[in-house]
Amino acid sequence: MDTATNSKAEIASPIKDVDDEIQQLLQTLPKEEGLISGSGMSLYLYQGFWRSARYLKPAISFQTHFQAFDSDVMVATFPKCGTTWLKALTFSILYRSQFARDVHPLLNFTPHQLVRFMEFDVYLNNPCPDLDNIFCVYKPRLFATHLPHASLPTSIKNSKCKIVYICRNPMDMFVSLWNFTGKLRDKTQDPPLSLDEAFDKFYRGVYSAGPFFEHVLGYWKASQENPNKILFLKYEDLKEDISSQLKHLAIFLGVPFTEDEQKHGVVEEIANICSLKELKEVEVNKKGFHVTGIPHTDFFRKGEVGDWSNYLTPSMVERLDKLIHEKLDNSGLTFKLSS
Ligand code: PAP
């Protein structure tokens, strides 16, 4: 299996191959500094969402060249909303008949190695990667993206490819993002970014893959229009009742748990092996780096609902509360802010 792992952090090393065409495109796009600095990390507003130069080319390659199969499954998420968890869960449910229970691949590979990002990994250095080879181990193909719904390759939208989306209340998402970028800034020796500065950027939607609300609403509306194609999950619901959510996910994926499996505790087993507590202890998640240069360990922190109350000031909470209403009222989408 090609796991695409780097041996050292390259979070902000110079970008080698932003070719002329992309350079020209970049010059036409609004530009701002996001939460992480460094060469290639400035953000550009592309199709309504902020994206770093480094990952714009692979995103365009994915958009342009990818041909979906009806059998494909895609995990789509907004960053820091439960990507790592959903990758582990979807992989474990979808492929449970393809590996022995006592040698679960999650014991040897990270969730991000097992379910690879298209725009940060598969298409990173090659506009036309050999997908037959990359997806040769397990069937059907399973991959991931942070791209907004509107920017997905046409064949994903037009085929029967299934999409599982997860989101999370924006207060916890922001706190998770702030902690995550703090660690990255340490590694790139950037001075720390104050919570105030980060909040200001978050509020304006200026961070990689932002703005949050537009991303979430894009998938929310699409899932309402086509619930058989897009399953819309919330981090807080998984925390509250993982068994029901896993059964629901398995049905959606077309591989419902049999009565026998349920009787033998397969649902609980999957919930357990994919839990934050278990994954944190797996050796492969404690060392090494993702292909983006991010240490594997940085994808695992507290995983709590309501952690925002330990960080946000009353004025931040008030502003965010207002923004949530402004953006989500009339959409039918709501978030639980505490457990
Ligand atoms: P990504 O989008 O950059 O891949 P993502 O996995 O969505 O990151 O976000 C990491 C968050 O999910 C962290 O949340 P926290 O900062 O609030 O703690 C991380 O702890 C949490 N997380 C990672 N794995 C799991 C898991 N197995 N169960 C629950 N939460 C998890």
Side-chain angles (χ1 to χ4, degrees):
M1 183 184 303
D2 178 1
T3 57
T5 304
N6 269 7
S7 59
K8 64 183 177 62
E10 289 177 353
I11 299 154
S13 59
I15 34 174
K16 296 153 201 133
D17 57 352
V18 172
D19 53 27
D20 289 350
E21 216 177 306
I22 296 288
Q23 285 294 3
Q24 276 174 18
L25 170 65
L26 292 179
Q27 278 165 24
T28 67
L29 302 176
K31 178 183 178 190
E32 284 216 33
E33 292 310 308
L35 300 179
I36 308 169
S37 53
S39 171
M41 298 315 285
S42 294
L43 298 178
Y44 294 84
L45 191 66
Y46 176 69
Q47 297 181 338
F49 292 82
W50 293 98
R51 188 157 286 285
S52 68
R54 178 190 297 274
Y55 300 116
L56 184 59
K57 185 178 169 188
I60 293 174
S61 301
F62 173 42
Q63 283 183 315
T64 316
H65 302 299
F66 181 72
Q67 283 305 317
F69 296 159
D70 285 340
S71 57
D72 285 345
V73 177
M74 185 173 75
V75 167
T77 64
F78 194 79
K80 305 300 142 207
C81 287
T83 316
T84 313
W85 195 11
L86 185 61
K87 283 183 173 187
L89 293 170
T90 308
F91 180 95
S92 302
I93 292 175
L94 193 60
Y95 299 141
R96 67 187 185 278
S97 64
Q98 297 179 41
F99 52 80
R101 275 162 78 176
D102 55 344
V103 285
H104 196 299
L106 279 171
L107 299 173
N108 292 306
F109 297 98
T110 76
H112 293 288
Q113 291 169 333
L114 293 175
V115 185
R116 292 172 62 178
F117 277 118
M118 293 308 235
E119 71 276 26
F120 300 111
D121 179 352
V122 171
Y123 283 85
L124 187 60
N125 297 312
N126 186 346
C128 297
D130 181 356
L131 299 181
D132 288 345
N133 188 37
I134 288 172
F135 295 107
C136 66
V137 183
Y138 301 101
K139 296 280 184 262
R141 304 191 301 187
L142 170 63
F143 48 88
T145 190
H146 282 328
L147 282 189
H149 185 264
S151 297
L152 291 179
T154 319
S155 70
I156 289 189
K157 293 195 224 177
N158 291 348
S159 67
K160 289 186 181 149
C161 161
K162 291 195 172 181
I163 302 174
V164 189
Y165 184 78
I166 192 164
C167 66
R168 185 182 193 182
N169 83 63
M171 298 203 192
D172 282 330
M173 178 264 143
F174 166 64
V175 165
S176 183
L177 180 68
W178 187 65
N179 277 289
F180 179 76
T181 48
K183 287 184 205 151
L184 296 189
R185 289 178 75 92
D186 268 358
K187 275 161 201 111
T188 54
Q189 282 157 14
D190 281 328
L193 192 68
S194 74
L195 189 66
D196 273 339
E197 280 174 281
F199 184 82
D200 178 62
K201 288 184 190 291
F202 177 71
Y203 192 81
R204 293 187 301 115
V206 185
Y207 45 95
S208 183
F212 169 88
F213 292 100
E214 283 67 13
H215 198 282
V216 169
L217 283 172
Y219 281 97
W220 172 248
K221 285 177 189 151
S223 74
Q224 304 249 291
E225 281 159 21
N226 201 347
N228 294 328
K229 182 173 177 67
I230 305 182
L231 179 66
F232 191 95
L233 301 172
K234 297 181 196 168
Y235 187 93
E236 295 77 17
D237 293 344
L238 265 69
K239 290 288 288 186
E240 191 172 290
D241 183 356
I242 187 76
S243 293
S244 308
Q245 295 289 318
L246 293 193
K247 287 177 199 163
H248 192 49
L249 175 56
I251 292 170
F252 175 79
L253 294 172
V255 285
F257 292 108
T258 61
E259 271 185 28
D260 200 44
E261 282 180 311
Q262 296 193 40
K263 214 164 70 196
H264 285 93
V266 173
V267 182
E268 290 72 23
E269 211 171 89
I270 290 176
N272 188 45
I273 199 162
C274 298
S275 69
L276 182 59
K277 189 164 158 264
E278 288 294 316
L279 288 182
K280 258 187 178 175
E281 293 310 314
V282 176
E283 227 26 62
V284 71
N285 292 321
K286 291 191 199 171
K287 57 182 190 211
F289 298 87
H290 182 248
V291 67
T292 49
I294 296 165
H296 292 145
T297 183
D298 287 1
F299 290 102
F300 306 95
R301 199 180 64 92
K302 275 192 189 173
E304 283 174 5
V305 177
D307 190 35
W308 57 267
S309 63
N310 298 314
Y311 290 84
L312 304 187
T313 64
S315 109
M316 288 173 180
V317 174
E318 194 186 326
R319 288 180 68 196
L320 212 39
D321 223 17
K322 258 195 206 149
L323 190 64
I324 292 172
H325 281 295
E326 220 175 275
K327 297 286 186 181
L328 300 186
D329 279 359
N330 306 321
S331 70
L333 177 60
T334 54
F335 286 109
K336 263 184 81 176
L337 294 175
S338 57
S339 52

